[in-house]
Amino acid sequence: MKFKTNINCNNCVAKVQTTLDGLVGAGNWQVDINNPEKILDVKNLEIASHDVTNRLKRIGFSAEEVA
């Protein structure tokens, strides 16, 4: 799954790390902060996309699934 986010720096990545590690597992996600759309790539397909977007929203970040 890929998401367009507002996770735009290493500090932001650090803020979402605990949440995403707990949700999808450590090593199952990464954010390309160099991409203008700040793409979050999630490798765990057992998690629903709305779970990722809702969890990020709770901690102050936006995420929109992209094709």
Side-chain angles (χ1 to χ4, degrees):
M1 293 181 284
K2 293 188 184 294
F3 301 87
K4 179 180 172 182
T5 72
N6 65 340
I7 302 169
N8 58 16
C9 66
N10 287 324
N11 192 35
C12 294
V13 171
K15 288 179 183 177
V16 301
Q17 182 171 359
T18 301
T19 297
L20 289 174
D21 283 354
L23 182 63
V24 301
N28 288 323
W29 64 274
Q30 66 179 21
V31 179
D32 183 358
I33 58 174
N34 296 315
N35 182 310
E37 296 187 328
K38 312 304 181 201
I39 298 298
L40 165 64
D41 187 12
V42 176
K43 302 288 187 203
N44 185 332
L45 298 179
E46 296 176 10
I47 301 296
S49 62
H50 65 84
D51 289 334
V52 175
T53 57
N54 289 342
R55 192 72 62 95
L56 288 174
K57 185 176 182 179
R58 279 190 226 150
I59 60 171
F61 292 93
S62 66
E64 176 185 338
E65 189 171 17
V66 294

